[in-house]
Amino acid sequence: MESTDLDPEAAPDEALQPVEPPAPSHWQEFLDRARKSAQRDTPLEVRGTLTRLTGLVLEATGIRVPVGAQCIVTQRAREPVLAEVVGFSGERAFLMPAGDVYGLSSGAAVAPAAPFVPVPRLHESADEAHAADAGMLRLPLGDGLLGRVIDSQGNPLDRMGPIANVTSKSFSRKPINAMDRAPVRDVLDTGVRAINALLTVGRGQRIGLFAGSGVGKSVLLGMMARYTQADVIVVGLIGERGREVKEFIEDILGEQGRARSVVVAAPADAPPLLRMQGATYATAIAESFRDRGQHVLLLMDSLTRYAMAQREIALAIGEPPATKGYPPSCFAKLPQLVERSGNGLNGVGSITAFYTVLSEGDDQQDPIVDAARAILDGHIVLSRTLAESGHYPAIDVEQSASRVMHNVVSREHFELARRFRSIYSKYERGRDLIQIGAYANGSDPALDEAIALHEGMGRFLQQDMYEAASLDEVLEQLKVATNAEPGYL
């Protein structure tokens, strides 16, 4: 029998020859990555069914995804609806839609959504690419957002084309260890005379603007956006009037301010999920710049609308109301959002945050006002009485306070501010007697001094919205307003 190539004894010397492995190639790397991907425990795609729609909440069965995961609700002859899982009960998942639910009916398909994934880049590792498979929302972050106006989902609203030079990342993160944060030690110039002089803000401070509707919160925010010394400005317009978005960009920021700003807009007509997401997204954008060592000014208007959006969601899924209709989860969400701002790790970068807080009925004991006052590093109260009398900015210096002022200003500045408050308060307590003519000059020397200085103090506290007052000017003006003698300290 003739030997053939298939006979193992035909060429023993050739059979023992070592076989050289093929040269590495892109194909080999692709096969290796595919093999590793196949070895992972990849869950099968799960689809559920929409069974109920009550108010703002969708209920689905047959789908098991974690809270915070994104899902797509699809039905024939209508656009898909993006929704986020906000709770569950047994086999039922509660979803909050991010779009219009008009036209949905029972039996619509519910499936996990593919998260936002940008164009692949060579510098991204395989772990970063695989992180998108978790099903959590990932939104664009990076320098490409500067000068842009975007919504809560990272979509441009300014009609300036797609956003470039960004990377897709999750906007949720672990809280920073309190011992790793640098204390607030550096003063921040806001350009507002009353704040610089009497309520001095430190870099990395979180402070609230408390006022009722129509008292001038947005105008005061605009002044700080123009004049505050910061590398990047992030503006979150949450639950406010849609008209304010374009006005804030064109009339307040201007071309120069817009180049270093990012505006996230989630107006009042947006679903509650998008309003909450807008506040978190604006904070995540500020964090991304802070982590790179930059000083960020975060302006959020308003914290109350964020709490109201959480109240709508919580009540819709059955959470019992607690204080004035606000469920307990609202008061848990507020510090989780606020604590993300502040100084970065070991003093690298900072976020100085101003949050407007709406006082319903001008009630300073409103539950959200009271909760915000307790978790912030200071509060600036705007008075309706001052606003109605033409006093702008309508800052009530008696009710306002900065909890870090003593750490960031000189002793001379602090004593001058204390003297100003004392004289101003003395006049306010005797205002009624003075106006009706019941006070006789000379009866109280301290009140006589307050009467003499009151007019100049009133001019000192007022400022035009297009006028900047720097820190360097404030100290001398404060001496003049209080008529302080040299060396009186």
Side-chain angles (χ1 to χ4, degrees):
M1 181 178 179
E2 295 182 359
S3 63
T4 64
D5 292 339
L6 298 177
D7 188 353
E9 299 179 357
D13 294 337
E14 294 181 4
L16 296 176
Q17 292 291 334
V19 179
E20 295 183 2
S25 64
H26 294 294
W27 283 107
Q28 187 64 40
E29 293 178 6
F30 174 79
L31 291 174
D32 291 341
R33 292 180 62 182
R35 187 179 297 108
K36 292 179 181 179
S37 177
Q39 291 173 353
R40 293 192 181 103
D41 295 331
T42 304
L44 297 175
E45 182 181 359
V46 179
R47 285 181 175 269
T49 303
L50 184 65
T51 58
R52 186 179 179 185
L53 193 162
T54 305
L56 301 173
V57 180
L58 307 177
E59 292 186 19
T61 58
I63 183 171
R64 292 188 178 183
V65 287
V67 172
Q70 305 293 303
C71 293
I72 290 289
V73 183
T74 56
Q75 189 170 353
R76 184 177 299 178
R78 68 150 291 135
E79 292 292 328
V81 177
L82 180 66
E84 181 177 313
V85 179
V86 295
F88 57 86
S89 176
E91 299 296 326
R92 296 177 300 158
F94 302 139
L95 301 96
M96 186 64 59
D100 187 12
V101 297
Y102 181 80
L104 283 181
S105 63
S106 178
V110 182
F116 173 88
V117 179
V119 177
R121 292 174 173 81
L122 294 177
H123 67 272
E124 289 186 349
S125 64
D127 292 338
E128 290 175 335
H130 184 65
D133 297 337
M136 301 300 177
L137 186 64
R138 294 164 61 86
L139 295 174
L141 300 173
D143 288 338
L145 297 177
L146 291 174
R148 303 302 301 268
V149 183
I150 54 178
D151 65 10
S152 302
Q153 296 176 308
N155 301 314
L157 298 176
D158 49 16
R159 303 189 185 279
M160 295 174 59
I163 299 175
N165 195 21
V166 292
T167 56
S168 168
K169 294 182 180 179
S170 172
F171 57 74
S172 62
R173 60 179 295 170
K174 295 180 180 180
I176 299 177
N177 188 328
M179 296 302 296
D180 294 334
R181 288 185 186 267
V184 179
R185 291 289 184 267
D186 299 324
V187 66
L188 180 70
D189 187 353
T190 62
V192 181
R193 186 183 300 110
I195 296 177
N196 282 345
L198 308 175
L199 305 164
T200 312
V201 175
R203 196 178 295 278
Q205 184 177 356
R206 289 81 56 94
I207 197 163
L209 300 179
F210 296 80
S213 57
V215 183
K217 298 187 299 298
S218 299
V219 174
L220 185 56
L221 278 183
M223 292 176 66
M224 289 184 286
R226 280 195 302 271
Y227 306 131
T228 300
Q229 302 298 319
D231 300 324
V232 177
I233 300 173
V234 180
V235 182
L237 301 177
I238 311 301
E240 296 298 324
R241 296 178 291 273
R243 171 185 61 82
E244 293 183 340
V245 177
K246 191 169 184 179
E247 290 181 359
F248 193 93
I249 298 296
E250 296 182 353
D251 301 338
I252 296 178
L253 285 180
E255 290 297 328
Q256 184 177 0
R258 183 174 179 177
R260 60 177 179 139
S261 303
V262 183
V263 179
V264 180
D269 59 345
L273 177 66
L274 294 186
R275 278 179 267 149
M276 287 194 65
Q277 188 172 296
T280 309
Y281 187 25
T283 305
I285 294 172
E287 287 175 321
S288 68
F289 288 108
R290 177 190 64 186
D291 293 344
R292 294 160 50 184
Q294 294 179 294
H295 297 296
V296 183
L297 176 66
L298 173 62
L299 306 175
M300 190 168 295
D301 187 13
S302 70
L303 194 64
T304 305
R305 305 300 185 190
Y306 172 82
M308 288 179 174
Q310 171 61 21
R311 177 176 64 179
E312 292 179 40
I313 295 174
L315 294 178
I317 64 176
E319 187 177 349
T323 308
K324 286 192 175 181
Y326 287 97
S329 62
C330 289
F331 303 101
K333 288 282 188 181
L334 289 177
Q336 291 176 6
L337 178 71
V338 169
E339 285 296 325
R340 293 177 62 170
S341 56
N343 286 327
L345 290 171
N346 303 315
V348 178
S350 66
I351 300 175
T352 306
F354 286 87
Y355 301 92
T356 65
V357 182
L358 179 64
S359 306
E360 296 187 12
D362 293 328
D363 181 12
Q364 292 300 317
Q365 305 306 318
D366 179 85
I368 298 301
V369 172
D370 195 49
R373 188 187 296 114
I375 61 178
L376 293 171
D377 302 325
H379 52 277
I380 298 173
V381 178
L382 303 185
S383 167
R384 187 175 298 277
T385 302
L386 290 175
E388 290 173 348
S389 65
H391 185 290
Y392 287 102
I395 298 176
D396 189 336
V397 296
E398 291 185 285
Q399 298 190 54
S400 306
S402 173
R403 297 180 181 176
V404 303
M405 180 176 177
H406 61 284
N407 292 329
V408 299
V409 300
S410 64
R411 179 177 176 272
E412 180 187 18
H413 186 167
F414 187 79
E415 289 299 326
L416 283 172
R418 185 191 60 78
R419 172 175 166 79
F420 187 102
R421 285 173 172 273
S422 176
I423 297 173
Y424 190 85
S425 179
K426 186 71 175 178
Y427 182 89
E428 291 300 318
R429 287 197 299 269
R431 176 185 290 273
D432 292 340
L433 291 176
I434 297 169
Q435 289 181 340
I436 64 175
Y439 175 73
N441 291 333
S443 302
D444 185 348
L447 186 54
D448 290 340
E449 182 185 30
I451 295 172
L453 297 177
H454 180 72
E455 184 177 352
M457 286 183 167
R459 289 196 301 268
F460 175 83
L461 292 176
Q462 296 185 59
Q463 182 178 346
D464 187 80
M465 64 180 295
Y466 296 105
E467 172 194 357
S470 67
L471 272 168
D472 297 334
E473 304 170 351
V474 160
L475 195 59
E476 293 302 321
Q477 293 174 349
L478 192 57
K479 290 179 181 178
V480 173
T482 56
N483 197 21
E485 296 292 338
Y488 84 99
L489 294 177

